[in-house]
Amino acid sequence: MEEVQRHSVHTLVFRSLKRTHDFFVANQSLLPEIDETLEKLKYNIKARDTYGLVFDRAAKAKALAAKRGDSDRIEGQHGGKDGVLAITAAGEQEGSAPDGTNGQMALVPAATPTPQTASSAVQILPKKAPTIPKPKWHAPWKLCRVISGHLGWVRCVAVEPGNEWFATGAADRVIKIWDLASGKLKLSLTGHVSTVRALAVSPRHPYLFSCGEDRQVKCWDLEYNKVIRHYHGHLSAVYTMSLHPTIDVLVTAGRDSTARVWDMRTKANIHTLTGHTNTVASVVTQAANPQIITGSHDSTVRLWDLAAGKSMCTLTNHKKSVRAIVLHPSLYMFASASPDNIKQWRCPEGNFIQNLGGHNSIVNCMAVNPEGVLVSGGDNGTMFFWDWRTGYNFQRFQAAVQPGSMDSEAGIFSMTFDQSGSRLITTEADKTIKIYKEDDEATEESHPINWRPEIIKRRKY
């Protein structure tokens, strides 16, 4: 057998190109003749596509004028005396057009308009260029208090409806309740045997709900400071929870890829929402449909019908894990966060609005206040402040690590605004709780908006 000679890829590609060239070189100059009929048809299609609306309006105006017995005047004068816009084209006549243009397509305005009915009046307005709204000015935020007390990573925070205290849960298995005004510890609740991952305070009952990596979901009676109910059913760690704002329903979700809907009083598991293929990291509830929205490590966001217990819609725009979802307090919108982008959506169908790009880290949490300030917290200790409406990033923070902690312990695990929206509470990996507020001394002159709309891209999918 003869040994096959081996050639480099470079040589083979150029041989292939040469063969192709030799094959087609004979036909290179033999172009087909132009078919005038097809050319005319092509230009007619282009004209109809570009100026179809004008053609239709002119035809309707002619037909309307013909009914009134004015057809001869429209045909003779291109609609000039009847207040109608006419179109003249080079294909209709040789030489120059009556108005002096070289047969180019032109709009002829009305000379002396006569009284017309509203239906016969034709007006073509120039289309306005789309404008990007200028962002509203927001005062910059500053750190005003650091609270230490937990012995492990602080994983969750919840503010009570009266705005007097807030609760935090941590890896030390303890739930602590703090006075919001002074930052002093009021109470410690023990009962979980593993990290506490989520908290929720009921606005209608004296109840605090907690869940954790021990698979337990507990209901605490704050009048007696003890557990009065357990909700059993999760097969693995429970990472997130949300209370329905109008009915006595609790929704929890976690590492078993499901979200479970519980009757608060009877402890019954009403629905088990299945569909996600990985950990469900965030769940929110609202009174209007969709009543439940979940974000998962499978990179999807699902909108659920609470009555049917089924998924209404699945949003697959994210490319990486969705760890945080937040509802706007007044607009019928929500935002979802992933390392690739923060995306805003409109309810109820989940229509995509815009991307908020730039927070290139694992985004663990988000919060938004009634003033339209959206805050996102990352695993590397970065905090980004955004204007909700325009997606303008007006401030960036790098959270300072508590003395004695490692630089890697700069992650922000959860955040929330108080009920007034004037204070931001964050819980972090350095075992501290930080409270931020707006800088009262800042003005638009001292902190101007650095707005460059030419570099803002709103990508729509």
Side-chain angles (χ1 to χ4, degrees):
M1 291 181 64
E2 293 183 10
E3 187 177 346
V4 178
Q5 186 178 358
R6 295 183 179 180
H7 294 284
S8 67
V9 176
H10 189 267
T11 305
L12 293 173
V13 168
F14 271 92
R15 283 188 178 182
S16 176
L17 287 173
K18 186 176 184 306
R19 286 196 205 101
T20 307
H21 177 267
D22 293 342
F23 188 80
F24 290 106
V25 71
N27 300 332
Q28 189 170 1
S29 60
L30 301 177
L31 297 175
E33 294 183 3
I34 296 175
D35 189 332
E36 293 184 1
T37 307
L38 290 177
E39 284 292 302
K40 189 174 181 180
L41 184 62
K42 181 177 81 171
Y43 286 116
N44 285 342
I45 291 171
K46 281 190 174 182
R48 169 59 62 181
D49 183 51
T50 308
Y51 300 104
L53 184 63
V54 181
F55 289 159
D56 293 341
R57 288 189 173 183
K60 286 179 183 177
K62 280 187 179 182
L64 213 64
K67 287 181 182 178
R68 298 201 311 266
D70 296 337
S71 59
D72 54 339
R73 188 168 52 182
I74 289 182
E75 289 173 3
Q77 302 176 10
H78 298 288
K81 291 184 180 178
D82 207 10
V84 179
L85 295 174
I87 291 181
T88 61
E92 296 176 6
Q93 59 207 18
E94 294 182 9
S96 62
D99 59 350
T101 60
N102 294 325
Q104 295 176 351
M105 193 170 284
L107 293 176
V108 183
T112 54
T114 57
Q116 290 182 337
T117 61
S119 60
S120 65
V122 178
Q123 185 181 16
I124 301 174
L125 298 174
K127 189 176 180 181
K128 291 183 179 179
T131 57
I132 300 177
K134 188 176 180 181
K136 177 184 174 184
W137 182 81
H138 298 285
W141 291 68
K142 64 179 183 180
L143 179 65
C144 68
R145 176 173 286 132
V146 178
I147 301 172
S148 298
H150 280 289
L151 302 178
W153 289 358
V154 192
R155 301 300 305 237
C156 52
V157 60
V159 181
E160 66 103 9
N163 213 36
E164 293 182 359
W165 53 265
F166 66 94
T168 56
D172 59 7
R173 311 184 296 278
V174 180
I175 300 168
K176 290 181 181 285
I177 294 177
W178 311 84
D179 185 68
L180 184 59
S182 64
K184 291 182 179 178
L185 179 64
K186 298 178 71 172
L187 185 67
S188 293
L189 301 173
T190 57
H192 280 280
V193 295
S194 190
T195 304
V196 182
R197 291 297 293 262
L199 296 168
V201 186
S202 172
R204 295 189 304 277
H205 311 287
Y207 295 157
L208 168 70
F209 295 87
S210 65
C211 63
E213 294 178 6
D214 52 8
R215 297 179 295 178
Q216 296 187 35
V217 180
K218 297 175 182 286
C219 174
W220 303 78
D221 188 326
L222 295 174
E223 291 179 345
Y224 298 95
N225 297 330
K226 66 179 184 180
V227 177
I228 58 170
R229 295 188 188 101
H230 287 89
Y231 302 88
H232 297 287
H234 276 287
L235 306 176
S236 191
V238 190
Y239 285 166
T240 179
M241 64 169 26
S242 180
L243 280 170
H244 196 281
T246 55
I247 57 179
D248 289 343
V249 160
L250 171 70
V251 185
T252 59
R255 208 166 64 196
D256 57 6
S257 307
T258 65
R260 294 177 185 266
V261 183
W262 309 92
D263 185 319
M264 192 187 294
R265 294 196 188 90
T266 65
K267 301 180 285 185
N269 188 180
I270 304 167
H271 293 302
T272 300
L273 308 178
T274 58
H276 285 294
T277 58
N278 208 328
T279 300
V280 181
S282 183
V283 61
V284 293
T285 55
Q286 59 183 4
N289 284 327
Q291 298 193 44
I292 301 173
I293 305 170
T294 56
S296 169
H297 287 196
D298 63 9
S299 308
T300 64
V301 177
R302 282 180 179 260
L303 284 57
W304 303 86
D305 180 353
L306 177 57
K310 293 181 180 178
S311 176
M312 298 163 50
C313 175
T314 304
L315 309 176
T316 58
N317 298 35
H318 283 289
K319 302 295 183 290
K320 296 182 180 179
S321 301
V322 180
R323 292 175 183 246
I325 291 178
V326 66
L327 292 169
H328 193 282
S330 56
L331 301 177
Y332 197 27
M333 296 170 66
F334 69 95
S336 57
S338 174
D340 54 5
N341 271 308
I342 296 171
K343 297 180 187 291
Q344 289 180 346
W345 314 86
R346 182 179 289 114
C347 296
E349 284 91 10
N351 305 111
F352 175 76
I353 304 299
Q354 66 178 345
N355 273 328
L356 278 61
H359 200 168
N360 298 319
S361 69
I362 297 173
V363 180
N364 287 324
C365 51
M366 290 191 298
V368 61
N369 70 1
E371 297 297 317
V373 175
L374 173 68
V375 191
S376 55
D379 217 33
N380 57 358
T382 55
M383 273 204 311
F384 280 45
F385 292 79
W386 315 82
D387 177 55
W388 177 278
R389 184 162 167 257
T390 60
Y392 169 62
N393 176 214
F394 67 89
Q395 189 180 8
R396 298 184 181 189
F397 241 117
Q398 174 68 53
V401 178
Q402 182 80 345
S405 296
M406 296 183 293
D407 289 340
S408 59
E409 291 190 322
I412 301 171
F413 290 126
S414 70
M415 59 172 55
T416 185
F417 283 99
D418 70 348
Q419 302 299 335
S420 67
S422 62
R423 282 172 289 192
L424 174 68
I425 307 168
T426 65
T427 66
E428 308 192 5
D430 61 2
K431 307 174 187 175
T432 65
I433 303 148
K434 295 185 172 72
I435 301 179
Y436 298 83
K437 67 176 183 180
E438 289 184 340
D439 188 352
D440 299 331
E441 299 176 357
T443 62
E444 291 192 51
E445 289 74 25
S446 63
H447 295 79
I449 295 174
N450 185 20
W451 178 235
R452 290 177 292 175
E454 68 273 5
I455 65 170
I456 301 297
K457 293 181 181 178
R458 291 192 172 194
R459 287 185 291 171
K460 299 210 170 184
Y461 293 87

